[in-house]
Amino acid sequence: PLVVIKRDGGDGNLYIDHETAGGYEVRFYIAIWCASRLEAVASSRAIETALCRLPGVTALGAAQSLFETDPDVLGMGQDFMVIGD
């Protein structure tokens, strides 16, 4: 499997003072490419489960299937939100 992690924006500072703890939000997009759809789905679910166990991390909706013109790879992609200091 190949996993690609992309920082994809987010709200940044959540508080006007830019100093309040716990007030920084980043959105990440994670894609995984595998040899089969079942492997891609299982791997995507494992990534989601592991990340959502971390404090301040949540999935933004369910994973979506990804299409690639190369028929030997199939993927899944999902957005996550991370809030921290």
Side-chain angles (χ1 to χ4, degrees):
L2 170 68
V3 176
V4 178
I5 302 170
K6 176 185 166 193
R7 184 173 173 164
D8 206 24
D11 287 339
N13 287 311
L14 299 176
Y15 301 105
I16 293 174
D17 66 12
H18 299 277
E19 296 174 11
T20 302
Y24 198 82
E25 177 190 298
V26 176
R27 187 174 68 240
F28 284 91
Y29 177 78
I30 298 180
I32 183 159
W33 299 95
C34 299
S36 76
R37 176 66 61 205
L38 291 177
E39 183 184 7
V41 170
S43 298
S44 175
R45 185 71 178 124
I47 290 169
E48 178 183 4
T49 299
L51 287 177
C52 289
R53 286 185 179 143
L54 299 172
V57 179
T58 190
L60 297 175
Q64 300 174 359
S65 62
L66 300 175
F67 173 77
E68 177 57 51
T69 56
D70 182 344
D72 294 331
V73 294
L74 297 163
M76 298 292 289
Q78 190 169 11
D79 286 304
F80 293 88
M81 180 175 53
V82 181
I83 297 178
D85 294 335

